[in-house]
Amino acid sequence: MTDSPVSLVWFREDLRLQDHPALHAASEKGGKILCVYILDNSGTTRKQGGASQWFLHGALSAFRQSLQEREGDCLILEGDPVQILPDLVRETGAQALFCHHRYQKEAKLQDEAVAQALEDRNCRMTQLHGTVLRNPDSVVTKTGTPYKIFSAWWKGFKSLGTPAAPLPAPSTLSFMPLTFAEGKKSAFTPCSIDRVLLPNKPDWATKMAEYWEHGEEAAHELLHDFAKHNLGHYDTGRNDMAAEESSRLSPYLRHGVLSPRQVWHHCANKGDPEDRETFLSEIGWRDFSWYTLYHNPELPTKSLKEQFHALPWRRSSKDLEAWQRGRTGIPVVDAGMRQLWETGWMHNRARMIVASFLAKHLLIDWRKGEDWFWDTLIDADPASNAVNWQWVSGTGVEASPFFRIFNPLRQSEKFDPKGDYIRRWVPELAKLPDADIAAPWKADDTVLRKAGIRLGRDYPEPVVSLEEGRDRAMAAYRKTRS
């Protein structure tokens, strides 16, 4: 199709121009570049959840716009990458494909199949590490085995020095026009991301657009504002559920609009040491999650601690639905779940509370919660989602002890003492006094009447007694361990 050498750059979870090693390598090779994104419908890899797809739509649209501003574009296709990419190589004459490593088993196997198919067409596939701070193989114990405890891993991680500095966007990029696809087979017809990624009947994502902006510029503005205003008191501010002082960078990291190296280096010299260390360790936890998934491929579907395989999870569609809809009768739990439904995101402290409530107080299989988060979180990725659910349920690597059960009332008292977070997301309780808002079932009838609340009508009774739920969980977990 062209006399100039052509390279394909296969974008996946890395929708940015800055700090993109694969794009940088293609630029250094010279010649024309064709940027490609494939909405994988092969069933090989796990399909992104609905909320994540909604955010992906915005990220892809913004990414295409940034390319168009540089007289380029991104060819977005739908199908099986193992079939599509060799056909693209044939049509374009590409001699190289650049992309970043993926670390979940199914994705790695797909990449191996793509590499083999391209090799058969004399096209070399080059993979670089561009989505984590360090290659998961680079942090190992003295015996060469993987770490299982974050604190030990974190120490080993830091002993290797500062992560590499982020790369700037390539100064020059020569793009191959997408017009080569005109008149060709339907596989090369650009995909309508509106059709594939956006909800329509009904459009449940309407309110999400009020909370999020898309693209690299918006992500860097958010990073800058966080480092300037909130990093300096992150160690305490991150747990204030109503203050919204967490970074809110996770969706941009999940979809690769920001790289972890960019976040690390932007914050590495800001704030006081304690706050900075706490925040950087959170970025480290993200790497550790991918590291754990890399070494434990069944993480999203199988409890890693074998003694919990026989744990007698309850099957209660009624309780599960009450949890999903934020109608459990436990205000802080309901506030978190309603924040999730409206915004596609949830405060990290609330995530721990609601997850513990499902897996412990309701004794419902953590995989049910992982599935719900996968579908409703805009930042759900295969590693962090699974690691965090197994941490809370006590079944995985670096797990919270089985006897640690978050008490929603104590969590409310400590991290939402005035009830502002609950009032924001459970407005029917807004008129309750601070002392009663976390546990309306304990309030006097006169207090409830004055606030216009009749339990069971205006707000549900608790689906389970907190004491009974805790005792039931402790009995089940102890029995399994014995």
Side-chain angles (χ1 to χ4, degrees):
M1 293 294 297
T2 177
D3 294 332
S4 178
V6 175
S7 295
L8 303 181
V9 180
W10 182 16
F11 289 83
R12 283 95 75 91
E13 297 162 346
D14 43 19
L15 297 175
R16 61 183 183 272
L17 294 176
Q18 299 178 52
D19 196 31
H20 199 291
L23 182 62
H24 203 83
S27 174
E28 289 184 333
K29 181 177 176 62
K32 298 291 185 181
I33 292 173
L34 177 61
C35 300
V36 183
Y37 189 96
I38 301 173
L39 294 162
D40 184 1
N41 65 8
S42 67
T44 304
T45 58
R46 188 179 186 182
K47 183 179 178 180
Q48 290 188 36
S52 185
Q53 288 185 341
W54 173 84
F55 194 90
L56 173 61
H57 177 277
L60 272 171
S61 299
F63 179 61
R64 287 193 68 190
Q65 183 176 346
S66 65
L67 288 173
Q68 290 165 359
E69 291 170 356
R70 301 182 68 150
E71 299 182 350
D73 208 336
C74 182
L75 179 62
I76 301 175
L77 303 172
E78 182 183 17
D80 185 348
V82 180
Q83 298 176 1
I84 288 176
L85 290 169
D87 288 344
L88 274 178
V89 167
R90 184 187 67 244
E91 291 298 323
T92 62
Q95 301 172 355
L97 181 146
F98 295 91
C99 62
H100 292 143
H101 283 283
R102 294 186 290 178
Y103 305 106
Q104 61 269 47
K105 179 180 178 180
E106 299 79 8
K108 289 194 296 177
L109 290 174
Q110 185 183 73
D111 287 351
E112 291 171 6
V114 168
Q116 181 59 57
L118 296 187
E119 185 176 334
D120 294 341
R121 295 193 179 278
N122 298 314
C123 178
R124 180 182 178 184
M125 179 173 169
T126 300
Q127 292 181 272
L128 300 100
H129 295 284
T131 60
V132 293
L133 292 167
R134 294 200 196 285
N135 168 10
D137 282 324
S138 66
V139 187
V140 293
T141 64
K142 292 180 180 179
T143 60
T145 56
Y147 285 101
K148 294 184 178 181
I149 302 297
F150 173 73
S151 58
W153 176 90
W154 183 232
K155 184 177 180 180
F157 176 93
K158 291 192 293 183
S159 73
L160 298 176
T162 303
L167 298 166
S171 56
T172 57
L173 289 168
S174 179
F175 295 102
M176 183 178 187
L178 303 190
T179 52
F180 83 93
E182 292 180 0
K184 299 298 179 183
K185 55 168 45 177
S186 59
F188 298 147
T189 301
C191 171
S192 167
I193 61 174
D194 289 3
R195 173 183 61 82
V196 177
L197 298 178
L198 291 182
N200 45 51
K201 296 179 181 179
D203 181 3
W204 45 260
T206 304
K207 289 187 177 181
M208 289 186 189
E210 300 175 10
Y211 296 94
W212 303 101
E213 296 183 34
H214 300 287
E216 280 186 85
E217 183 177 352
H220 281 276
E221 286 181 3
L222 188 62
L223 173 60
H224 176 80
D225 287 345
F226 166 73
K228 182 177 180 181
H229 300 293
N230 295 336
L231 179 60
H233 44 89
Y234 181 77
D235 192 49
T236 55
R238 65 180 177 138
N239 281 314
D240 187 334
M241 297 172 71
E244 298 186 355
E245 293 188 353
S246 56
S247 73
R248 297 175 65 88
L249 296 173
S250 55
Y252 303 97
L253 285 165
R254 188 269 178 267
H255 295 279
V257 183
L258 279 175
S259 79
R261 298 194 307 194
Q262 288 174 310
V263 176
W264 180 286
H265 283 275
H266 188 84
C267 296
N269 297 310
K270 296 180 174 65
D272 65 57
E274 183 177 0
D275 291 299
R276 183 170 63 244
E277 172 69 11
T278 300
F279 177 70
L280 293 181
S281 72
E282 294 292 335
I283 304 302
W285 180 265
R286 177 184 180 273
D287 251 52
F288 180 70
S289 296
W290 281 109
Y291 176 93
T292 302
L293 177 62
Y294 177 76
H295 292 290
N296 301 274
E298 295 180 326
L299 185 74
T301 58
K302 184 178 180 181
S303 295
L304 296 186
K305 291 187 176 180
E306 293 185 2
Q307 66 264 36
F308 293 122
H309 291 176
L311 200 150
W313 300 109
R314 293 176 62 244
R315 295 184 180 182
S316 172
S317 58
K318 180 181 178 181
D319 286 355
L320 177 61
E321 183 177 359
W323 177 82
Q324 291 170 338
R325 296 184 178 277
R327 299 285 297 171
T328 67
I330 310 298
V332 70
V333 173
D334 294 342
M337 298 306 293
R338 295 187 196 184
Q339 181 185 30
L340 170 62
W341 184 254
E342 180 168 318
T343 72
W345 183 88
M346 192 194 304
H347 191 282
N348 184 62
R349 174 58 54 174
R351 297 188 195 205
M352 292 188 282
I353 296 169
V354 305
S356 179
F357 185 79
L358 182 75
K360 301 288 180 68
H361 281 96
L362 295 182
L363 202 61
I364 291 176
D365 196 328
W366 63 266
R367 282 159 284 225
K368 297 291 186 182
E370 196 273 349
D371 279 343
W372 186 252
F373 272 26
W374 181 262
D375 197 40
T376 55
L377 276 173
I378 58 176
D379 60 11
D381 68 46
S384 297
N385 199 36
V387 163
N388 291 337
W389 270 99
Q390 292 223 41
W391 181 86
V392 170
S393 66
T395 62
V397 171
E398 183 66 25
S400 172
F402 78 93
F403 51 81
R404 180 183 295 164
I405 300 176
F406 282 74
N407 183 315
L409 301 189
R410 290 194 191 126
Q411 294 290 310
S412 293
E413 291 168 2
K414 189 172 182 180
F415 302 116
D416 187 34
K418 295 184 178 180
D420 293 336
Y421 180 74
I422 292 173
R423 287 188 177 88
R424 169 69 179 85
W425 298 107
V426 190
E428 61 266 41
L429 301 180
K431 294 181 180 180
L432 279 173
D434 295 355
D436 297 298
I437 194 168
W441 66 92
K442 293 184 176 183
D444 291 337
D445 288 342
T446 54
V447 173
L448 292 173
R449 282 197 300 272
K450 188 174 180 179
I453 297 169
R454 185 184 300 173
L455 292 181
R457 184 193 69 177
D458 306 300
Y459 184 70
E461 299 271 6
V463 294
V464 65
S465 159
L466 296 181
E467 294 77 11
E468 292 176 3
R470 185 184 188 283
D471 291 345
R472 178 175 61 190
M474 290 291 287
Y477 272 76
R478 283 198 177 109
K479 184 177 180 180
T480 303
R481 282 176 58 86
S482 64

